Amino acid sequence: MRSEDEQARGIGLGEPEVVRVARLVRAGRRHPAMFRRVFGEAAVYCQRPERPGVLIAEVAGGRWVGVFSTLERLGCFAGECDWQAMTGADLLSQLPEGVGVLLDPQDEHVIPVLAATPDE
């Protein structure tokens, strides 16, 4: 049987590490800070708009960018589309204040990520 640390690193699993850690955080078995570190290093995918930038949606009183851990998940959400990839850290560094990120918004492991504020 694999340990939780092996599960988080994905030993024997096909999911990206960011998904495995998101699941552990949602289950209360890892601290959110671990997810934020892994998210920052992970490649994430999102729809590429016609103009440079990202698509920001107004949802439930907040402003969010939906990103995906795999191109397959993006395709299931958006269908055939132009896309872009970047690290989670690069994405967060480019977002305007008050815009958050939802990783895999249609999956059970969805996790919101807020950009750091200037005093962090």
Side-chain angles (χ1 to χ4, degrees):
M1 179 168 219
R2 291 185 310 270
S3 71
E4 287 181 10
D5 287 334
E6 289 173 325
Q7 289 174 1
R9 290 194 314 268
I11 295 174
L13 300 174
E15 289 280 19
E17 181 181 16
V18 69
V19 170
R20 293 186 301 273
V21 173
R23 288 183 174 140
L24 291 170
V25 169
R26 286 188 54 97
R29 296 169 45 192
R30 287 289 181 269
H31 192 275
M34 180 181 185
F35 174 79
R36 187 162 178 100
R37 179 188 56 77
V38 171
F39 179 82
E41 297 170 356
V44 294
Y45 306 87
C46 61
Q47 285 182 265
R48 187 178 71 220
E50 289 182 25
R51 295 176 39 186
V54 294
L55 296 175
I56 298 174
E58 297 275 339
V59 179
R63 297 171 57 206
W64 299 92
V65 173
V67 299
F68 299 86
S69 57
T70 65
L71 282 174
E72 293 78 17
R73 282 189 170 101
L74 172 59
C76 287
F77 180 83
E80 189 174 321
C81 66
D82 291 332
W83 57 273
Q84 57 190 342
M86 63 198 81
T87 66
D90 285 342
L91 173 63
L92 290 172
S93 72
Q94 297 175 45
L95 291 179
E97 189 173 322
V99 176
V101 173
L102 291 175
L103 175 71
D104 294 334
Q106 292 187 320
D107 287 320
E108 77 284 348
H109 60 264
V110 62
I111 282 194
V113 183
L114 301 175
T117 58
D119 56 333
E120 287 186 273

